[in-house]
Amino acid sequence: IGIMAAFLNTIAVIATAKQLYAEKSIIKLSNLAFVLLIAFGDMCVGIYLIAISTFDTRFKADNNGLTFCKHRFDEWLSGGICAAMGVLSTFGSELSLFAMTVLSAFRVYCVKSKTLRGTSTSWKIKGALVMFSSFLVLTVLLISFIPLIDVAEDFFVNGLVYKDNPLLIGGLDKEKHNEILQAHYGNFYLKRVLSWRAIRTLVKGMFTSFNDHGHGPVIGKKIHFYGNAGVCLFKFFVTPDDPQKAYTWFIIILNAVCFFVITFSYIILHLIVKKSSKASVKEKRKGKGSDKNAALNRKITLMITTDFMCWIPFIVVCTLHYTEVMNATPWYSLFSIVFVPLNSVINPLLYDTAGLIDFLQKKLKPSDKKEANSTRISISAAANSGTITTAN
């Protein structure tokens, strides 16, 4: 999945970027800009999948995986590489989803409104488009980096790990730290919720003699938000006891809203196309225009279906896990690395402004090039022009 996503979306990014310079229509330019964001986001997801697979292969080959088991907490889950992988996957998936949402709403607006039809671009319009695209990118970057901000560590840090300390083994959350501090200092510290800063100070005070012998202070290393699992992804599976639950559910609900906006937008387009097809039949002008509308409807149906398959099962499982109806932790890697990235492979073909379908058909079946060119229909063609074909 990772190789396909990275390869297809890299082609889409390059080809779409080239088209942007030559485009004069504001509608087509806007469509291309949003498709570029989708492709770039999906390319990031593909790069993440390749990277995480590479690290997984390396760790398994290193002493049959025993080295990873030994240093899972103090090197990987608390390390910068894992954090970078988490930021990359979150940035890519959220940017793609937000851009798809904006694009679907924009296409409905273009089809139903005549305001932008025939309007050419200007530097003012291009500037506004760049600013809006930059706003989307910065918003997604903010979503990705917030869990790593030091001032918010009490909401996002999963625990602390103490390397080479025989008394503090593995990743210790606040509950485990409270038990240790209670045993050392007494019950006083259980009467209030301790911050990670206070915990680090108290743990440091437990090992004063250790510090005096030149070993240095005992400082816990953070197991960050993306270190909740070995695949270093956004922590979607939370329980009522998790301090991250508010942020996680905010993102889940936001993603659900995006899904419904995309779905309703393409349902509206589907109804418009269906109405147009009926008008063509009624006027006995059924032909190439009707065939295009049928192909457009099939592509709309595929868009809705793939979005549903990617997000709805995932949201349902997150809900069941949070309500403790089921423990979905063992399924985390399956859902996060297979179901959610599925769109990253399919999107370049659905939002095909780069001619990927023609390119692949040409490579696989050179003799069918003419037929492929005559039958290829893209939804962007209808939305770009702001119209739905009714007849020739």
Side-chain angles (χ1 to χ4, degrees):
I1 294 179
I3 294 174
M4 289 182 63
F7 172 71
L8 293 176
N9 285 289
T10 299
I11 295 175
V13 167
I14 295 172
T16 306
K18 288 182 178 179
Q19 293 180 53
L20 278 172
Y21 287 102
E23 191 52 60
K24 301 298 182 182
S25 167
I26 180 176
I27 295 179
K28 292 182 180 180
L29 183 69
S30 300
N31 272 265
L32 289 171
F34 298 137
V35 169
L36 178 63
L37 291 178
I38 295 171
F40 183 74
D42 290 333
M43 183 183 70
C44 291
V45 173
I47 294 173
Y48 158 79
L49 292 172
I50 294 173
I52 206 70
S53 299
T54 302
F55 282 114
D56 180 63
T57 303
R58 192 192 76 179
F59 288 138
K60 287 181 178 178
D62 190 0
N63 199 15
N64 293 322
L66 295 178
T67 302
F68 173 74
C69 293
K70 182 179 179 180
H71 298 287
R72 178 188 177 195
F73 290 104
D74 57 28
E75 291 186 5
W76 181 246
L77 297 182
S78 59
I81 295 177
C82 183
M85 293 293 98
V87 169
L88 182 64
S89 63
T90 302
F91 172 80
S93 59
E94 295 300 316
L95 178 62
S96 176
L97 181 62
F98 288 1
M100 283 192 292
T101 305
V102 174
L103 178 60
S104 62
F106 181 74
R107 285 176 167 176
V108 172
Y109 175 78
C110 290
V111 170
K112 295 183 70 68
S113 174
K114 298 180 180 180
T115 306
L116 299 178
R117 296 182 190 178
T119 305
S120 59
T121 58
S122 64
W123 285 109
K124 183 177 180 180
I125 293 174
K126 289 181 179 179
L129 187 59
V130 169
M131 289 182 63
F132 183 78
S133 300
S134 300
F135 171 77
L136 279 182
V137 172
L138 291 175
T139 300
V140 175
L141 281 174
L142 185 63
I143 290 174
S144 304
F145 275 103
I146 280 179
L148 300 177
I149 298 175
D150 286 338
V151 295
E153 66 177 10
D154 287 316
F155 295 99
F156 296 110
V157 170
N158 292 301
L160 298 177
V161 60
Y162 302 88
K163 187 175 182 179
D164 300 327
N165 190 309
L167 299 179
L168 304 173
I169 302 173
L172 305 178
D173 58 15
K174 282 191 175 182
E175 184 178 351
K176 288 291 185 181
H177 275 96
N178 279 346
E179 293 176 4
I180 295 170
L181 293 173
Q182 178 191 17
H184 185 81
Y185 289 102
N187 292 329
F188 170 77
Y189 289 102
L190 291 181
K191 296 180 181 179
R192 57 195 176 97
V193 178
L194 297 176
S195 66
W196 283 118
R197 182 177 180 181
I199 288 174
R200 284 194 292 270
T201 301
L202 292 170
V203 170
K204 181 180 177 181
M206 291 172 56
F207 295 90
T208 52
S209 60
F210 186 81
N211 300 340
D212 294 338
H213 284 81
H215 295 287
V218 177
I219 301 176
K221 189 178 181 182
K222 299 177 186 177
I223 301 176
H224 48 73
F225 179 74
Y226 296 111
N228 67 92
V231 289
C232 304
L233 287 166
F234 191 95
K235 191 176 181 180
F236 282 108
F237 292 170
V238 293
T239 63
D241 297 328
D242 281 321
Q244 304 100 335
K245 62 181 182 292
Y247 189 73
T248 294
W249 273 106
F250 168 74
I251 298 301
I252 291 175
I253 293 172
L254 183 61
N255 290 349
V257 170
C258 289
F259 165 75
F260 286 116
V261 170
I262 294 171
T263 300
F264 289 135
S265 295
Y266 285 120
I267 286 175
I268 292 173
L269 283 176
H270 172 80
L271 295 175
I272 294 173
V273 172
K274 188 175 181 180
K275 182 179 178 181
S276 174
S277 298
K278 287 183 177 180
S280 296
V281 173
K282 186 176 180 180
E283 296 174 13
K284 297 182 179 181
R285 293 187 298 175
K286 185 176 181 180
K288 188 179 292 185
S290 182
D291 293 338
K292 287 184 178 181
N293 288 350
L296 193 57
N297 263 333
R298 287 194 295 270
K299 183 162 285 191
I300 290 172
T301 302
L302 185 59
M303 285 180 171
I304 295 174
T305 302
T306 54
D307 286 338
F308 179 90
M309 290 175 60
C310 288
W311 287 106
I312 295 303
F314 194 75
I315 293 172
V316 170
V317 171
C318 289
T319 304
L320 294 177
H321 182 83
Y322 181 78
T323 55
E324 299 181 343
V325 173
M326 63 177 291
N327 180 15
T329 304
W331 298 1
Y332 193 76
S333 297
L334 174 66
F335 273 92
S336 299
I337 297 182
V338 177
F339 278 81
V340 174
L342 185 63
N343 262 348
S344 298
V345 177
I346 300 175
N347 283 342
L349 305 178
L350 293 179
Y351 301 91
D352 184 20
T353 61
L356 285 174
I357 296 177
D358 282 349
F359 173 79
L360 295 174
Q361 287 179 332
K362 178 181 177 181
K363 292 297 182 183
L364 295 175
K365 297 179 181 180
S367 60
D368 295 338
K369 178 181 178 182
K370 182 179 291 185
E371 181 182 353
N373 286 337
S374 65
T375 57
R376 176 178 171 270
I377 304 297
S378 172
I379 188 172
S380 60
N384 286 348
S385 61
T387 60
I388 297 295
T389 304
T390 56
N392 285 340

